[in-house]
Amino acid sequence: MLADIQKAEKGFTVRFERHLKHSVENVWAYLTENEKLARWFSELSVDDLREGGSIKFDMQNGTFEEMKITALDIQAVLEFTWGEDLVRFELYPEAEGCLLVLKEYINQMTSHTPKDLAGWHVCLDVIAALLDEREVVSRMEEWKKWYEQYVHAVEKFA
């Protein structure tokens, strides 16, 4: 299911949800422990896990972009800058696991927005697959499928 995209007072809010049959602790590990983080987003690494700390994005050209952690509540909230925007992961315990929510607060829709949204969509699916010990055969094929849908979803706001 596509993320929910809403016009906000300033910019846009995008909300992804995944109900996972895994504990908050196990899911949190995939968001914050570098060896697990690398399995679903190899360019990211947690540099300093604290509010005001940082996450690094490897630009794959010898440089790194530092993203500031703007909110942190261990095993509940991880929020950080994403360029001019914000990305926020929230975890909520449920009877049979947890709810993983990813919110992206977007200042301005651009031609790159559907690419990012499709990317986050696939990342969340990969986290779920890793937790379930399943393999995602082709992330690029999955991304292409979702990218087309996000292009149409974002057009409504252009």
Side-chain angles (χ1 to χ4, degrees), residues 69-152:
I69 297 173
T70 54
L72 180 71
D73 182 2
I74 299 298
Q75 296 187 359
V77 174
L78 173 62
E79 179 183 271
F80 51 90
T81 58
W82 186 258
E84 300 297 314
D85 304 326
L86 280 177
V87 168
R88 181 181 178 95
F89 289 94
E90 299 173 354
L91 290 171
Y92 300 94
E94 292 185 322
E96 295 186 15
C98 72
L99 170 64
L100 170 60
V101 176
L102 167 59
K103 296 177 183 173
E104 186 172 4
Y105 301 99
I106 300 172
N107 287 305
Q108 185 176 352
M109 294 285 190
T110 69
S111 61
H112 194 78
T113 301
K115 294 175 184 175
D116 272 354
L117 297 181
W120 286 122
H121 191 111
V122 172
C123 282
L124 294 175
D125 289 347
V126 170
I127 291 171
L130 290 167
L131 285 160
D132 291 343
E133 297 181 358
R134 291 182 289 113
E135 190 176 335
V136 176
V137 178
S138 175
R139 292 183 192 196
M140 185 51 77
E141 286 304 312
E142 284 296 304
W143 181 87
K144 287 177 185 174
K145 177 178 79 175
W146 291 110
Y147 171 68
E148 292 302 322
Q149 294 184 51
Y150 282 108
V151 166
H152 296 301

Side-chain angles (χ1 to χ4, degrees), residues 38-58:
R39 294 181 65 199
W40 64 272
F41 203 138
S42 61
E43 295 83 6
L44 289 185
S45 62
V46 174
D47 192 47
D48 184 8
L49 186 62
R50 63 177 176 84
E51 198 163 314
S54 63
I55 295 175
K56 290 193 174 167
F57 188 102
D58 185 345

